[in-house]
Amino acid sequence: QLQLVESGGGLVQPGGSLRLSCAFSRFTLGYYTIGWFRQAPGKERAGVSCISSSGGSTNYADSVKGRFTISRDNAKNTVYLQMNSLKPEDTAKYYCAVSTASPMYFGFETHEYDYWGQGTQVTVSS
């Protein structure tokens, strides 16, 4: 069974940085998209960023453009989310997920993602 394991969350001051990691078991599928989502208390889970299986295509939510960068290391089966200039409103539990919907799917509809990790907490506070 496919497993996704997030790490790298923690407490950081506003303006600080964190790098999240999502380690996943080797895929046998031809294509897929890996996404990062976040969910704050009392709010719906929302997409943050996603990256294609080749790493050649990425997408970002407007709220994180210019601050967050998604990347992947296929040799390590790991996807990263570098988060800079963090704000208190970035506080949430962050999840990585895999979508097998289409090689051209780079959206943030949660129902299009088939596999989910357990999440890692990010808290931005002074």
Side-chain angles (χ1 to χ4, degrees), residues 28-86:
T28 59
L29 302 171
Y31 53 81
Y32 53 92
T33 297
I34 293 186
W36 281 101
F37 292 76
R38 64 187 182 186
Q39 187 167 20
K43 295 187 177 181
E44 293 186 354
R45 191 169 297 188
V48 175
S49 183
C50 60
I51 189 167
S52 64
S53 52
S54 68
S57 297
T58 59
N59 192 19
Y60 295 91
D62 289 342
S63 59
V64 306
K65 282 181 181 177
R67 299 188 299 123
F68 291 11
T69 302
I70 192 170
S71 62
R72 63 185 302 144
D73 184 336
N74 286 336
K76 295 182 178 180
N77 287 342
T78 302
V79 171
Y80 303 98
L81 185 68
Q82 178 67 43
M83 306 186 297
N84 298 329
S85 302
L86 282 162

Side-chain angles (χ1 to χ4, degrees), residues 8-20 66-69 81-87 90 122-125:
L11 173 64
V12 63
Q13 292 186 342
S17 298
L18 283 174
R19 188 177 78 158
L20 305 183
R67 299 188 299 123
F68 291 11
T69 302
L81 185 68
Q82 178 67 43
M83 306 186 297
N84 298 329
S85 302
L86 282 162
K87 305 175 181 180
D90 294 318
V122 171
T123 302
V124 185
S125 175

